[in-house]
Amino acid sequence: MQARLDEKPFDDSHDRMILDALAAGGTELAFQPILRSGPRQRIGFFEGLARLRLEQDEVLMPGAFLPVIEQAGRGPQLDRYVLRHALGTLEDRLRLRVSINVGLQTMTDPGWINLLQREVADRPHLTDRLIVEMTELAVADPEITVPFTRTVRALGVTVVLDDFGAGHTAFRQFRDLALDGVKIDGFFSRGIENDADNRCLIKALVDIARHFEMFTVAEFVETPEQAQCLTDLGVDFLQGHLFAPARQHPDWITTNIAQAAM
């Protein structure tokens, strides 16, 4: 999850506008490219990041609406909208791979899984280009996350652990969860070229991921020096404003896919 949640107080009227926009289908996706590391930084896939459009045509970032939606127990509703958008994008753009985020509320709600199963029943070609990201803070209870992960992967969907290093995931959970990849928390990327401790930690995280046959993604890459250092440490994919911010324009996606194929 490239976006951060910035907690802020909300008044009742603003909360209601957010929930009304969600109910009215105001959810949209912005796409940020995730590039393969190395001298030829080709696009590997895109992360689809939720945006919420209010009636006044104001577009909110996740930090402005996720706390309200989750507090109201509407996280699964948001994630179902995001899933529909992502599958529709994959249907329209056959060369695209897209990752989306799911929260803990969604993992305990059968509606999201049921929607995925229905949507891909006649379109199984979509599942191998869909990636699901679970935040590390959401995998604390293996009784919830292990069945969810196994069900999703059985459909052919790639599953990634987000924000790895931010929480307290036990090493044994990698084996139990049978993940496909990990996204290293952006904290470790900042100033890494000048931080020997973070370089040591990222190298250890990369080695752990490789042992379990998982790919790695570094978030919040903002300078060429960071990108080179992370590449030298063996990170597989890089994500951050150095390459592009998240945007909502399909023509931008098409252009970048074409450039990546050159």
Side-chain angles (χ1 to χ4, degrees), residues 192-251:
I192 188 172
E193 68 276 15
N194 299 313
D195 192 326
D197 290 342
N198 273 3
R199 290 197 298 274
C200 179
L201 289 169
I202 283 194
K203 184 63 171 64
L205 297 179
V206 168
D207 288 343
I208 292 168
R210 284 183 175 169
H211 176 79
F212 289 98
E213 299 182 339
M214 296 183 290
F215 63 83
T216 52
V217 182
E219 300 180 300
F220 293 93
V221 181
E222 298 176 350
T223 68
E225 292 77 18
Q226 282 178 283
Q228 185 60 57
C229 185
L230 291 162
T231 299
D232 292 343
L233 290 170
V235 175
D236 298 306
F237 294 93
L238 307 174
Q239 178 180 9
H241 282 193
L242 173 63
F243 312 109
R247 296 176 181 169
Q248 296 172 258
H249 307 298
D251 57 336

Side-chain angles (χ1 to χ4, degrees), residues 1 101 107 131-140 145 149 158-170 173-174 177 179-185 214-217 219:
M1 182 188 297
N101 296 278
M107 294 182 209
I131 301 169
V132 170
E133 299 187 20
M134 305 184 302
T135 177
E136 185 180 17
L137 301 177
V139 301
T145 53
T149 300
T158 298
V159 179
V160 173
L161 180 64
D162 196 11
D163 298 331
F164 181 44
H168 305 283
T169 301
Q173 289 179 261
F174 285 110
L177 289 171
L179 299 163
D180 298 293
V182 292
K183 296 184 76 174
I184 300 169
D185 187 70
M214 296 183 290
F215 63 83
T216 52
V217 182
E219 300 180 300

